[in-house]
Coordinates of all heavy atoms in Angstrom, one line a residue:
M26 N 0.8 -1.2 0.0 CA 0.0 0.0 0.0 C 0.9 1.2 0.0 O 2.0 1.2 0.5 CB -0.9 -0.1 1.2 CG -2.0 1.1 1.3 SD -2.7 1.6 -0.3 CE -4.1 0.5 -0.4
K27 N 0.4 2.3 -0.6 CA 1.1 3.5 -0.7 C 1.3 4.1 0.7 O 0.4 4.1 1.5 CB 0.4 4.5 -1.6 CG 0.4 4.1 -3.0 CD 1.8 4.4 -3.6 CE 1.9 3.7 -4.9 NZ 3.3 3.7 -5.4
T28 N 2.4 4.7 1.0 CA 2.7 5.4 2.2 C 2.4 6.9 2.0 O 2.2 7.3 0.9 CB 4.1 5.2 2.7 OG1 5.0 5.9 1.7 CG2 4.5 3.8 2.8
C29 N 2.3 7.6 3.1 CA 2.0 9.0 3.0 C 3.1 9.7 2.2 O 2.8 10.6 1.4 CB 2.0 9.6 4.4 SG 0.6 9.0 5.4
K30 N 4.3 9.2 2.3 CA 5.4 9.8 1.5 C 5.2 9.6 0.0 O 5.4 10.5 -0.8 CB 6.8 9.2 2.0 CG 8.0 9.9 1.5 CD 8.2 11.3 2.2 CE 9.1 12.1 1.4 NZ 9.1 13.5 1.8
D31 N 4.8 8.4 -0.3 CA 4.5 8.1 -1.7 C 3.4 9.0 -2.3 O 3.5 9.5 -3.4 CB 4.0 6.6 -1.9 CG 5.1 5.6 -1.7 OD1 6.3 6.0 -2.0 OD2 4.9 4.5 -1.2
V32 N 2.4 9.2 -1.4 CA 1.3 10.1 -1.8 C 1.8 11.5 -2.1 O 1.4 12.1 -3.1 CB 0.2 10.1 -0.7 CG1 -0.9 11.2 -1.0 CG2 -0.5 8.7 -0.7
E33 N 2.7 11.9 -1.3 CA 3.3 13.3 -1.4 C 4.0 13.3 -2.8 O 3.9 14.3 -3.5 CB 4.3 13.5 -0.3 CG 4.1 14.6 0.6 CD 5.2 14.8 1.6 OE1 6.2 15.5 1.2 OE2 5.1 14.2 2.6
I34 N 4.8 12.3 -3.1 CA 5.6 12.3 -4.3 C 4.6 12.3 -5.5 O 4.8 13.0 -6.5 CB 6.5 11.0 -4.4 CG1 7.6 11.2 -3.3 CG2 7.1 10.8 -5.8 CD1 8.3 9.9 -3.0
I35 N 3.6 11.5 -5.4 CA 2.6 11.4 -6.5 C 1.9 12.8 -6.7 O 1.7 13.2 -7.8 CB 1.6 10.3 -6.3 CG1 2.3 8.9 -6.4 CG2 0.5 10.3 -7.4 CD1 1.4 7.7 -6.0
C36 N 1.6 13.4 -5.6 CA 0.9 14.7 -5.7 C 1.8 15.7 -6.4 O 1.3 16.5 -7.2 CB 0.6 15.2 -4.3 SG -0.8 14.4 -3.5
T37 N 3.1 15.6 -6.2 CA 4.1 16.5 -6.8 C 4.0 16.2 -8.3 O 4.0 17.1 -9.2 CB 5.5 16.3 -6.3 OG1 5.4 16.4 -4.9 CG2 6.4 17.3 -6.9
K38 N 4.0 14.9 -8.7 CA 3.9 14.5 -10.1 C 2.6 15.0 -10.7 O 2.6 15.4 -11.9 CB 3.9 13.0 -10.2 CG 5.3 12.4 -10.0 CD 5.3 10.9 -9.9 CE 5.3 10.2 -11.2 NZ 5.4 8.7 -11.0
V39 N 1.5 15.0 -9.9 CA 0.2 15.5 -10.4 C 0.4 16.9 -10.8 O -0.2 17.4 -11.9 CB -0.9 15.3 -9.4 CG1 -2.1 16.0 -9.8 CG2 -1.2 13.8 -9.2
Q40 N 1.1 17.7 -10.0 CA 1.3 19.1 -10.3 C 2.0 19.3 -11.7 O 1.7 20.3 -12.4 CB 2.1 19.8 -9.2 CG 1.3 19.9 -7.9 CD 2.1 20.6 -6.8 OE1 3.2 21.0 -7.0 NE2 1.5 20.7 -5.7
Y41 N 2.8 18.4 -12.0 CA 3.6 18.5 -13.3 C 2.9 17.6 -14.3 O 3.5 17.3 -15.4 CB 5.0 18.1 -13.1 CG 5.8 19.1 -12.2 CD1 6.0 18.8 -10.8 CD2 6.2 20.3 -12.7 CE1 6.6 19.8 -10.0 CE2 6.8 21.2 -11.9 CZ 7.0 21.0 -10.6 OH 7.7 21.9 -9.8
R42 N 1.7 17.1 -14.0 CA 0.9 16.3 -14.9 C 1.7 15.0 -15.4 O 1.6 14.6 -16.5 CB 0.5 17.1 -16.2 CG -0.4 18.3 -15.8 CD -0.9 19.0 -17.0 NE -1.8 20.1 -16.6 CZ -3.0 20.0 -16.2 NH1 -3.6 18.9 -16.2 NH2 -3.7 21.1 -15.9
E43 N 2.5 14.5 -14.4 CA 3.2 13.2 -14.8 C 2.6 12.0 -14.1 O 3.1 10.9 -14.3 CB 4.7 13.4 -14.3 CG 5.5 14.3 -15.2 CD 6.9 14.7 -14.7 OE1 7.2 14.1 -13.6 OE2 7.6 15.5 -15.3
A44 N 1.6 12.2 -13.2 CA 1.0 11.1 -12.5 C 0.1 10.3 -13.5 O -0.6 10.9 -14.3 CB 0.3 11.6 -11.3
T45 N 0.2 9.0 -13.4 CA -0.7 8.2 -14.2 C -2.1 8.1 -13.5 O -2.2 8.4 -12.3 CB -0.2 6.7 -14.3 OG1 -0.1 6.1 -13.0 CG2 1.2 6.8 -14.9
F46 N -3.1 7.6 -14.2 CA -4.4 7.4 -13.7 C -4.4 6.4 -12.5 O -5.0 6.7 -11.5 CB -5.3 6.9 -14.8 CG -6.7 6.6 -14.3 CD1 -7.5 7.7 -13.9 CD2 -7.3 5.4 -14.2 CE1 -8.8 7.5 -13.4 CE2 -8.5 5.1 -13.7 CZ -9.3 6.2 -13.3
V47 N -3.6 5.4 -12.6 CA -3.5 4.4 -11.5 C -2.9 5.1 -10.3 O -3.4 4.8 -9.2 CB -2.6 3.2 -12.0 CG1 -2.3 2.3 -10.8 CG2 -3.2 2.5 -13.1
E48 N -1.9 5.9 -10.5 CA -1.3 6.6 -9.3 C -2.4 7.5 -8.6 O -2.4 7.6 -7.4 CB -0.1 7.5 -9.8 CG 1.1 6.6 -10.0 CD 2.3 7.4 -10.5 OE1 2.1 8.3 -11.3 OE2 3.4 7.0 -10.2
K49 N -3.2 8.2 -9.5 CA -4.2 9.0 -8.9 C -5.2 8.2 -8.1 O -5.7 8.6 -7.0 CB -4.9 9.8 -10.1 CG -4.1 10.9 -10.7 CD -4.8 11.5 -11.9 CE -3.9 12.5 -12.6 NZ -4.6 13.0 -13.8
I50 N -5.6 7.0 -8.6 CA -6.5 6.1 -7.9 C -5.9 5.7 -6.6 O -6.6 5.7 -5.5 CB -6.8 4.9 -8.8 CG1 -7.7 5.3 -10.0 CG2 -7.5 3.8 -7.9 CD1 -9.1 5.8 -9.6
K51 N -4.6 5.4 -6.6 CA -3.9 5.0 -5.4 C -4.0 6.1 -4.3 O -4.2 5.8 -3.1 CB -2.4 4.6 -5.7 CG -2.3 3.3 -6.3 CD -0.9 3.0 -6.7 CE -0.8 1.6 -7.3 NZ 0.5 1.3 -7.9
I52 N -3.8 7.3 -4.7 CA -3.9 8.5 -3.8 C -5.3 8.5 -3.2 O -5.5 8.6 -2.0 CB -3.6 9.8 -4.5 CG1 -2.1 9.9 -4.9 CG2 -4.0 11.0 -3.6 CD1 -1.8 11.2 -5.7
R53 N -6.3 8.4 -4.1 CA -7.7 8.4 -3.7 C -8.0 7.4 -2.7 O -8.6 7.7 -1.7 CB -8.5 8.2 -5.0 CG -10.0 8.3 -4.8 CD -10.5 9.8 -4.8 NE -11.9 9.8 -4.5 CZ -12.5 10.6 -3.7 NH1 -11.7 11.5 -3.0 NH2 -13.8 10.6 -3.5
L54 N -7.5 6.2 -2.9 CA -7.7 5.1 -2.0 C -7.0 5.3 -0.6 O -7.6 5.1 0.4 CB -7.2 3.7 -2.5 CG -8.1 3.2 -3.7 CD1 -7.4 1.9 -4.2 CD2 -9.5 2.9 -3.2
H55 N -5.8 5.9 -0.7 CA -5.0 6.1 0.5 C -5.7 7.2 1.3 O -5.8 7.0 2.6 CB -3.6 6.6 0.1 CG -2.8 7.0 1.2 ND1 -1.9 6.1 1.8 CD2 -2.6 8.1 1.9 CE1 -1.3 6.6 2.8 NE2 -1.7 7.9 2.9
V56 N -6.2 8.2 0.7 CA -6.9 9.3 1.4 C -8.2 8.8 2.1 O -8.6 9.3 3.1 CB -7.2 10.5 0.4 CG1 -8.2 11.5 1.0 CG2 -5.9 11.1 0.0
L57 N -8.7 7.7 1.6 CA -10.0 7.2 2.2 C -9.7 6.7 3.6 O -10.6 6.8 4.4 CB -10.5 6.0 1.3 CG -11.2 6.3 0.1 CD1 -11.6 5.0 -0.6 CD2 -12.5 7.1 0.3
F58 N -8.6 6.2 3.9 CA -8.3 5.6 5.2 C -7.2 6.3 6.0 O -6.9 6.0 7.1 CB -8.1 4.1 5.2 CG -6.9 3.7 4.4 CD1 -5.6 3.8 4.9 CD2 -7.1 3.3 3.1 CE1 -4.5 3.4 4.2 CE2 -6.0 2.9 2.3 CZ -4.7 3.0 2.9
C59 N -6.5 7.3 5.4 CA -5.4 8.0 6.0 C -5.9 9.4 6.5 O -6.1 10.2 5.6 CB -4.2 8.1 5.1 SG -2.9 8.9 5.9
K60 N -6.0 9.5 7.8 CA -6.5 10.8 8.3 C -5.5 11.9 8.0 O -5.9 13.1 7.8 CB -6.7 10.6 9.9 CG -7.9 11.3 10.4 CD -8.0 11.1 11.9 CE -9.2 11.9 12.4 NZ -9.3 11.7 13.9
T61 N -4.2 11.6 8.1 CA -3.2 12.6 7.9 C -3.3 13.2 6.5 O -3.4 14.4 6.3 CB -1.8 12.0 8.0 OG1 -1.8 11.3 9.3 CG2 -0.7 13.1 8.0
C62 N -3.4 12.3 5.5 CA -3.5 12.8 4.1 C -4.9 13.4 3.8 O -5.0 14.3 2.9 CB -3.2 11.6 3.1 SG -1.5 11.2 3.2
K63 N -5.9 13.0 4.5 CA -7.2 13.5 4.4 C -7.2 15.0 4.8 O -7.7 15.9 4.1 CB -8.2 12.7 5.2 CG -9.7 12.9 4.7 CD -10.6 12.0 5.5 CE -12.0 12.0 5.0 NZ -12.9 11.1 5.7
T64 N -6.6 15.2 5.9 CA -6.4 16.6 6.4 C -5.6 17.4 5.4 O -5.9 18.5 5.1 CB -5.7 16.6 7.8 OG1 -6.4 15.7 8.6 CG2 -5.7 18.0 8.4
F65 N -4.5 16.8 5.0 CA -3.6 17.4 4.0 C -4.4 17.8 2.7 O -4.2 18.9 2.2 CB -2.4 16.4 3.7 CG -1.5 16.9 2.6 CD1 -0.6 17.9 2.8 CD2 -1.6 16.2 1.4 CE1 0.2 18.3 1.7 CE2 -0.7 16.6 0.3 CZ 0.2 17.7 0.5
S66 N -5.2 16.9 2.3 CA -5.9 17.1 1.0 C -6.9 18.3 1.1 O -7.2 18.9 0.2 CB -6.7 15.8 0.7 OG -7.9 15.7 1.5
K67 N -7.4 18.5 2.4 CA -8.3 19.6 2.6 C -7.5 20.9 2.4 O -8.1 21.9 2.0 CB -8.9 19.5 4.0 CG -10.1 18.6 4.0 CD -10.7 18.5 5.4 CE -11.8 17.5 5.4 NZ -12.3 17.2 6.8
K68 N -6.3 20.9 2.8 CA -5.4 22.1 2.7 C -4.8 22.3 1.4 O -4.4 23.3 1.0 CB -4.3 22.0 3.8 CG -4.9 22.1 5.2 CD -3.7 21.9 6.2 CE -4.2 21.8 7.6 NZ -3.2 21.4 8.5
N69 N -4.7 21.2 0.7 CA -4.0 21.2 -0.6 C -5.0 21.2 -1.8 O -5.6 20.3 -2.1 CB -3.1 19.9 -0.7 CG -2.2 19.9 -1.9 OD1 -2.6 20.2 -3.0 ND2 -0.9 19.7 -1.6
T70 N -5.0 22.4 -2.4 CA -6.0 22.5 -3.5 C -5.7 21.6 -4.7 O -6.6 21.2 -5.4 CB -5.9 24.0 -4.0 OG1 -4.6 24.4 -4.3 CG2 -6.6 24.9 -3.0
K71 N -4.4 21.3 -4.9 CA -4.0 20.4 -6.0 C -4.6 19.0 -5.8 O -5.2 18.4 -6.7 CB -2.5 20.3 -6.1 CG -1.8 21.5 -6.7 CD -2.0 21.7 -8.2 CE -1.4 23.0 -8.6 NZ -1.8 23.3 -10.0
L72 N -4.5 18.5 -4.6 CA -5.0 17.2 -4.2 C -6.5 17.2 -4.2 O -7.2 16.3 -4.7 CB -4.4 16.7 -2.9 CG -4.8 15.3 -2.5 CD1 -4.2 14.3 -3.6 CD2 -4.2 14.9 -1.2
T73 N -7.1 18.3 -3.8 CA -8.5 18.4 -3.8 C -9.1 18.4 -5.2 O -10.0 17.7 -5.5 CB -9.0 19.8 -3.1 OG1 -8.4 19.8 -1.8 CG2 -10.5 19.8 -3.0
A74 N -8.4 19.1 -6.1 CA -8.7 19.0 -7.5 C -8.6 17.6 -8.1 O -9.5 17.1 -8.8 CB -7.9 20.0 -8.3
L75 N -7.6 16.9 -7.7 CA -7.3 15.6 -8.1 C -8.4 14.7 -7.6 O -8.9 13.8 -8.3 CB -6.0 15.1 -7.5 CG -5.7 13.6 -7.5 CD1 -5.5 13.1 -8.9 CD2 -4.6 13.3 -6.6
C76 N -8.9 14.9 -6.4 CA -9.9 14.0 -5.8 C -11.2 14.2 -6.5 O -11.9 13.2 -6.8 CB -10.1 14.4 -4.3 SG -8.8 13.7 -3.3
S77 N -11.5 15.5 -6.9 CA -12.8 15.7 -7.6 C -12.7 15.1 -9.0 O -13.7 14.6 -9.5 CB -13.1 17.2 -7.7 OG -12.0 17.9 -8.2
E78 N -11.5 15.1 -9.6 CA -11.3 14.5 -10.9 C -11.5 13.0 -10.8 O -12.1 12.4 -11.6 CB -9.8 14.8 -11.3 CG -9.6 14.4 -12.8 CD -8.1 14.5 -13.2 OE1 -7.5 15.5 -12.7 OE2 -7.7 13.6 -13.9
A79 N -11.0 12.4 -9.7 CA -11.1 11.0 -9.5 C -12.6 10.6 -9.3 O -13.1 9.6 -9.8 CB -10.3 10.5 -8.3
N80 N -13.3 11.5 -8.6 CA -14.8 11.3 -8.4 C -15.5 11.3 -9.7 O -16.5 10.6 -9.8 CB -15.3 12.5 -7.5 CG -15.3 12.1 -6.0 OD1 -15.4 10.9 -5.7 ND2 -15.2 13.1 -5.2
L81 N -15.1 12.1 -10.6 CA -15.8 12.2 -11.9 C -15.7 10.9 -12.6 O -16.6 10.5 -13.4 CB -15.2 13.3 -12.8 CG -15.5 14.7 -12.3 CD1 -14.8 15.7 -13.2 CD2 -17.0 15.0 -12.4
R82 N -14.6 10.1 -12.4 CA -14.4 8.9 -13.0 C -14.6 7.7 -12.1 O -14.0 6.7 -12.1 CB -13.0 8.8 -13.6 CG -12.7 9.9 -14.6 CD -11.4 9.6 -15.3 NE -10.5 10.7 -15.2 CZ -9.3 10.7 -15.6 NH1 -8.8 9.6 -16.2 NH2 -8.5 11.7 -15.5
T83 N -15.6 7.9 -11.1 CA -15.8 6.9 -10.1 C -16.1 5.6 -10.7 O -16.9 5.4 -11.6 CB -17.0 7.4 -9.2 OG1 -16.6 8.6 -8.6 CG2 -17.3 6.4 -8.1
L84 N -15.5 4.6 -10.1 CA -15.7 3.2 -10.5 C -16.9 2.6 -9.6 O -17.1 3.1 -8.6 CB -14.5 2.4 -10.2 CG -13.3 2.7 -11.1 CD1 -12.0 2.1 -10.4 CD2 -13.4 2.1 -12.5
P85 N -17.5 1.6 -10.1 CA -18.5 0.9 -9.3 C -17.9 0.4 -8.0 O -16.7 0.1 -8.0 CB -19.0 -0.3 -10.1 CG -18.5 0.0 -11.5 CD -17.3 0.9 -11.4
I86 N -18.7 0.4 -6.9 CA -18.1 0.0 -5.6 C -17.4 -1.4 -5.7 O -16.4 -1.5 -5.1 CB -19.3 0.0 -4.5 CG1 -19.6 1.5 -4.2 CG2 -18.8 -0.7 -3.3 CD1 -20.9 1.6 -3.4
E87 N -18.0 -2.3 -6.4 CA -17.4 -3.6 -6.5 C -16.0 -3.5 -7.1 O -15.0 -4.2 -6.6 CB -18.2 -4.5 -7.5 CG -19.2 -5.3 -6.8 CD -19.9 -6.2 -7.9 OE1 -19.3 -7.1 -8.4 OE2 -21.1 -6.0 -8.1
E88 N -15.8 -2.7 -8.1 CA -14.5 -2.5 -8.7 C -13.5 -1.9 -7.7 O -12.3 -2.2 -7.7 CB -14.6 -1.6 -10.0 CG -15.2 -2.4 -11.1 CD -14.5 -3.6 -11.5 OE1 -13.2 -3.5 -11.7 OE2 -15.1 -4.7 -11.7
K89 N -14.0 -0.9 -7.0 CA -13.2 -0.2 -5.9 C -12.7 -1.2 -4.9 O -11.5 -1.2 -4.5 CB -14.0 0.8 -5.2 CG -14.0 2.2 -5.9 CD -14.7 3.2 -5.1 CE -14.8 4.5 -5.8 NZ -15.7 5.4 -5.1
E90 N -13.6 -2.1 -4.5 CA -13.2 -3.1 -3.5 C -12.2 -4.1 -4.0 O -11.2 -4.4 -3.3 CB -14.4 -3.9 -3.0 CG -15.4 -3.1 -2.1 CD -14.8 -2.5 -0.9 OE1 -14.0 -3.3 -0.2 OE2 -15.0 -1.4 -0.6
K91 N -12.3 -4.5 -5.2 CA -11.4 -5.4 -5.9 C -10.0 -4.7 -6.0 O -9.0 -5.3 -5.7 CB -11.9 -5.6 -7.3 CG -12.5 -7.0 -7.5 CD -12.7 -7.3 -9.0 CE -14.2 -7.6 -9.3 NZ -14.4 -7.6 -10.8
M92 N -10.0 -3.4 -6.3 CA -8.8 -2.6 -6.5 C -8.1 -2.5 -5.1 O -6.9 -2.6 -5.0 CB -9.1 -1.3 -7.0 CG -8.0 -0.6 -7.8 SD -8.5 0.9 -8.5 CE -9.1 0.4 -10.0
K93 N -8.9 -2.3 -4.1 CA -8.3 -2.1 -2.7 C -7.6 -3.4 -2.3 O -6.5 -3.4 -1.8 CB -9.5 -1.9 -1.7 CG -9.7 -0.4 -1.4 CD -10.6 -0.3 -0.2 CE -11.6 0.8 -0.4 NZ -12.6 0.8 0.7
K94 N -8.3 -4.6 -2.6 CA -7.7 -5.9 -2.2 C -6.4 -6.1 -3.0 O -5.4 -6.6 -2.4 CB -8.7 -7.0 -2.5 CG -9.7 -7.1 -1.3 CD -10.8 -8.1 -1.7 CE -11.9 -8.0 -0.7 NZ -13.1 -8.7 -1.2
K95 N -6.4 -5.7 -4.2 CA -5.3 -5.9 -5.1 C -4.1 -5.1 -4.5 O -3.0 -5.6 -4.4 CB -5.6 -5.4 -6.5 CG -5.5 -6.5 -7.6 CD -5.6 -5.8 -8.9 CE -5.9 -6.8 -10.0 NZ -6.2 -6.2 -11.3
L96 N -4.4 -3.8 -4.2 CA -3.4 -2.9 -3.7 C -2.8 -3.4 -2.4 O -1.6 -3.4 -2.1 CB -3.9 -1.5 -3.5 CG -4.2 -0.8 -4.8 CD1 -5.0 0.5 -4.5 CD2 -3.0 -0.4 -5.6
K97 N -3.7 -4.0 -1.5 CA -3.3 -4.5 -0.2 C -2.4 -5.7 -0.4 O -1.4 -5.8 0.3 CB -4.5 -4.8 0.6 CG -5.0 -3.5 1.4 CD -6.2 -3.9 2.2 CE -6.7 -2.6 2.9 NZ -8.1 -2.8 3.4
S98 N -2.7 -6.6 -1.3 CA -2.0 -7.8 -1.5 C -0.6 -7.5 -2.0 O 0.4 -8.3 -1.8 CB -2.7 -8.8 -2.3 OG -2.9 -8.3 -3.6
K99 N -0.5 -6.4 -2.8 CA 0.8 -6.0 -3.4 C 1.7 -5.4 -2.3 O 2.9 -5.4 -2.5 CB 0.6 -5.0 -4.5 CG 0.3 -5.7 -5.8 CD 0.2 -4.7 -6.9 CE -0.2 -5.4 -8.3 NZ -0.4 -4.3 -9.3
A100 N 1.2 -4.8 -1.3 CA 2.0 -4.0 -0.3 C 2.9 -4.9 0.4 O 2.7 -6.1 0.7 CB 1.0 -3.3 0.7
Ligands
LIG27 ZN1 -1.3 9.2 4.3

């Protein structure tokens, strides 16, 4: 699973438009259960914009759960 540091790095990449869609999804999932990054995201307009972008491309809940399990098993 992505660490807070990884999320920070990806956020930086997002600013330079170098982050992939998968990386954006990983941030989105991380923010779901990480209070620190959730707070950070509220303060960070770039990440907030990213989150709303991810929301526009929301996957069905089933797909999200599958993705979460996949990410967890890879960690
Ligand atoms: Zn975090």
Side-chain angles (χ1 to χ4, degrees):
M26 187 35 93
K27 290 285 164 193
T28 65
C29 297
K30 193 70 196 167
D31 289 329
V32 170
E33 240 184 88
I34 292 164
I35 294 170
C36 284
T37 308
K38 283 169 82 175
V39 169
Q40 289 181 0
Y41 294 100
R42 299 186 181 279
E43 286 171 3
T45 64
F46 178 66
V47 173
E48 283 176 326
K49 289 177 187 178
I50 290 294
K51 282 176 182 173
I52 293 178
R53 183 83 183 133
L54 289 175
H55 179 92
V56 168
L57 282 179
F58 61 81
C59 179
K60 219 176 174 183
T61 310
C62 288
K63 203 173 182 179
T64 308
F65 172 73
S66 76
K67 279 180 185 170
K68 293 176 186 169
N69 187 312
T70 49
K71 288 285 177 188
L72 188 58
T73 306
L75 164 73
C76 287
S77 53
E78 191 188 317
N80 265 332
L81 289 175
R82 298 190 236 177
T83 297
L84 294 162
I86 286 167
E87 265 184 69
E88 288 301 313
K89 272 186 188 168
E90 289 301 317
K91 260 191 236 169
M92 207 178 271
K93 262 193 223 171
K94 278 172 193 168
K95 242 188 196 175
L96 290 171
K97 273 180 187 166
S98 63
K99 274 185 185 174

